[in-house]
Amino acid sequence: MKETTTEILFPKAVIERRVGELAAQISRDYAGKDLLIVGILNGAFVFMADLIRALNVPCTVDFVRMASYGAGSVSSGEVLIRKDLETPVAGRDILIVEDIVDTGFTLSRLLEILRERRPASLKVCAFLDKQARRRVPFVADYVGFPIPDAFVVGYGLDYNEQFRFFPDVRVLRDIV
Ligand code: PRP
């Protein structure tokens, strides 16, 4: 593999400020509700950890892991749950937390699955939104930053499981 270089897209301070804004909005919207935050592994764990600590409302947390199938890097749109929630969700106010919306397949499918379990409400908070890559219509209820069609890493996002630890979001260059 050719050596990769990275260029900062969203510095740590900018992320911190935006996460604080999202948390304030979510805290207002969920005041007095029975909030269950559902993170999608692995990418969402960093964003979710910062987001819940900035909330002013109580919440509980759980996680799912999704698996998508397709040839090479081209997704077929077939998405399954590989690790399910451990919490019953009927009657709960659920906020799904995701690191990035790309084609939209993952979140569309997860929403379908969770709707069948009759939560009181079901919304999505995505840290990054790459609308140019959408293959199915999908609009998140809360978005950190819209981004262009570039390969981004850091703040939980990976390339071949690398770079999740960067405290900022970076564009990856020179991938071979
Ligand atoms: C990434 C990302 C989302 C999904 C978005 O997960 O974290 O879950 O892809 O893509 P989509 O909108 O095209 O469905 P990935 O499968 O890379 O796993 P990871 O979270 O462990 O990095």
Side-chain angles (χ1 to χ4, degrees), residues 40-43 98-106 158 161 164:
I40 306 184
L41 294 168
N42 289 339
E98 177 60 300
D99 56 345
I100 186 166
V101 192
D102 195 333
T103 63
F105 285 133
T106 302
D158 75 307
E161 295 303 325
R164 292 193 199 270

Side-chain angles (χ1 to χ4, degrees), residues 87-115:
T87 313
V89 298
R92 302 293 305 270
D93 292 296
I94 301 179
L95 180 64
I96 299 170
V97 172
E98 177 60 300
D99 56 345
I100 186 166
V101 192
D102 195 333
T103 63
F105 285 133
T106 302
L107 280 163
S108 307
R109 182 71 190 117
L110 182 59
L111 283 177
E112 255 174 36
I113 293 168
L114 294 184
R115 259 189 217 114

Side-chain angles (χ1 to χ4, degrees), residues 15-142:
I15 294 173
E16 255 172 40
R17 194 163 59 232
R18 184 69 189 121
V19 170
E21 289 169 358
L22 285 172
Q25 194 185 346
I26 291 166
S27 298
R28 282 193 297 274
D29 295 350
Y30 285 89
K33 304 240 169 133
D34 186 17
L35 177 58
L36 169 63
I37 306 250
V38 171
I40 306 184
L41 294 168
N42 289 339
F45 79 104
V46 176
F47 174 48
M48 180 167 161
D50 283 348
L51 186 71
I52 65 166
R53 285 178 292 173
L55 291 176
N56 289 316
V57 288
C59 65
T60 57
V61 300
D62 202 345
F63 295 90
V64 290
R65 186 191 298 279
M66 309 296 286
S68 54
Y69 293 92
S73 60
V74 181
S75 172
S76 66
E78 191 189 343
V79 181
L80 302 174
I81 288 193
R82 189 189 287 169
K83 180 227 169 289
D84 206 336
L85 291 173
E86 292 167 24
T87 313
V89 298
R92 302 293 305 270
D93 292 296
I94 301 179
L95 180 64
I96 299 170
V97 172
E98 177 60 300
D99 56 345
I100 186 166
V101 192
D102 195 333
T103 63
F105 285 133
T106 302
L107 280 163
S108 307
R109 182 71 190 117
L110 182 59
L111 283 177
E112 255 174 36
I113 293 168
L114 294 184
R115 259 189 217 114
E116 287 172 7
R117 302 182 189 179
R118 304 279 175 246
S121 67
L122 186 56
K123 288 190 178 181
V124 172
C125 176
F127 176 59
L128 301 177
D129 187 2
K130 204 191 269 186
Q131 291 201 8
R133 292 258 307 167
R134 214 62 111 247
R135 300 265 308 278
V136 284
F138 179 83
V139 180
D141 300 279
Y142 306 91

